[in-house]
Amino acid sequence: MKLIRLKIADSFRSLKNDFELNFREPVINESLLDFHPFCFAGLNGSGKSNVLEALSNIFYHLECIVNDYPVFAYDPKESNPDSFELEYFITSESLNSDLESLNHISIKKEKGQAPLMSINGNGFLTISKSFGSSFIPDLIVAYSSGENETLSLPYIKMKLFQYDQYLEDLRDRVEFKKPKSSLLYIDYEMSQAVLLTILMFFDFEKDGKSGVLSTLEEEIKISGIQQFTININNHWQKIVPRAEENNLIEVETILKIENDEDTENRKVYLGRVLDNLDSLINKLKECATCSYTKDNYLSLDFFVDKNTISLIRKKFENDPYTFFSLFQTLHSLNERVEENVYKEEVYNSKGYYTDYKRPEYVQFFYFTNYHIKQLDEKKTRNLLLRQLSDGEQQFLHTLGICLMLQNKRTLLLLDEPETHFNPEWRSKFINILRKTLHAGNDNFLLKDIILTSHSPFIISDCFPDKVIVFEKGKQPQNAQEKDIDTFGTSVNILTNKIFKRKNTIGEYSLEKLNNYRKRFLETDDLEGLIDELNLELGDSIEKVLLIKEMTDLINKR
């Protein structure tokens, strides 16, 4: 998909009334085939992350409608933001993905009304389960380098829906095929599944040439995965009160059925909650090096070699997302909540402190013994994933997410993905992403990437029409409209023009420098003062200019 325009009529977070952001002209041309992520730049509190939140909430609302989710959990006529317009290009399906297949989608929602959709300029119709679902992205994926609950909230809600839908299918004996949700938030646990997926389905070297993952080896010396363990806990009936004695499934959390005459019959279920995943879990068993089973607990150990990788690819249709989606479902089952009253608190939350409203249980699924192979002075060492630095993990997460979602109609929202990067990685980030995705033959027509950043290094690798500059209380504009040339521009110049920071040194050292400026106006020993200045402060433009002032004064004397 490719975003065109977003307008929000009512204020949303720090975005004021009639906020409008134009991503690109509504014209289909060859540029849509290229890799050009949008970079939101601006000071803290200017609204960059709020746009990611608004887009997440809008697509959450649309997802609820087209999947006909329970009305106790959302109101089809009320969303947050509640009045908006959204335009984008999208193909009707991922397999049909060339310029000629693009459709121009316009969605509008007025306050207190259900959203309407227009396809290619035709009349607006109410979005429903039977109209519009083909023109909503396959995936809305969000990642934040830190805790951002207002961004993650709609994704938390969607995991609760996924859990309910899974149980409903289980109750009705409907075979599970894949997750039904298009919203996916990559937290630490899910990032482990992302990394595992790309290490299983992409190569470091292929046919004697550099492979898609060669960048991992070059930049952070990752050369593969040594081993991992998948733990699957099917003790659900022992955890839920009365479930063991009554063979109850958690049907009351699926639908409100108090007035259903057949309530008791619908609640009877003799199986286990993970039974609907048996065929997929059996595929994992067939790929495992060894396994351990006790009662309803299953542990699968994988010692990874070429045969393991080849078998996993074969069992999961050589499709990274098919493999990943199993962990996506297992992860959503960890989100269970027994009572609707708890769920309604989360559904009605505006984005602050929902965690305490989500009871903690023994997890259905988790990884252990996750050992990465890393080159160290030409030797390979094995270390736990947690032993990698924050920057290394962040690099892996971001690269992995982008790779895994190839050939999916995706909107990817990255909130400050470079926070823990060192300056060198910040300067390389966009180029590494571009080269890796090109090596993976990604179809860029299918996805749009938005990242927020405070790094002038990242901004300098983005074209000016793709850098959106945010200022608090103002409508955002791209750098081209503001006559700021970003691509290849010095980070000092970008820091000045976008972040309004003219100084190249910190405030404390600047105060010291200004003290020297005052002292040289009051002393006769300018040469001695210059020597003292050079000893105390390192090189900077500010120091060079001050010394020039002093030298000019000495020459005049």
Side-chain angles (χ1 to χ4, degrees), residues 320-336:
Y321 191 73
T322 298
F323 181 69
F324 172 80
S325 64
L326 170 58
F327 302 112
Q328 182 185 352
T329 299
L330 287 168
H331 188 50
S332 71
L333 295 183
N334 287 343
E335 292 291 330
R336 63 200 163 88

Side-chain angles (χ1 to χ4, degrees), residues 135-157:
F135 300 100
I136 291 176
D138 298 324
L139 290 166
I140 309 296
V141 182
Y143 171 76
S144 177
S145 60
E147 294 294 330
N148 186 344
E149 185 166 312
T150 52
L151 176 59
S152 65
L153 179 61
Y155 301 88
I156 292 170
K157 295 177 181 179

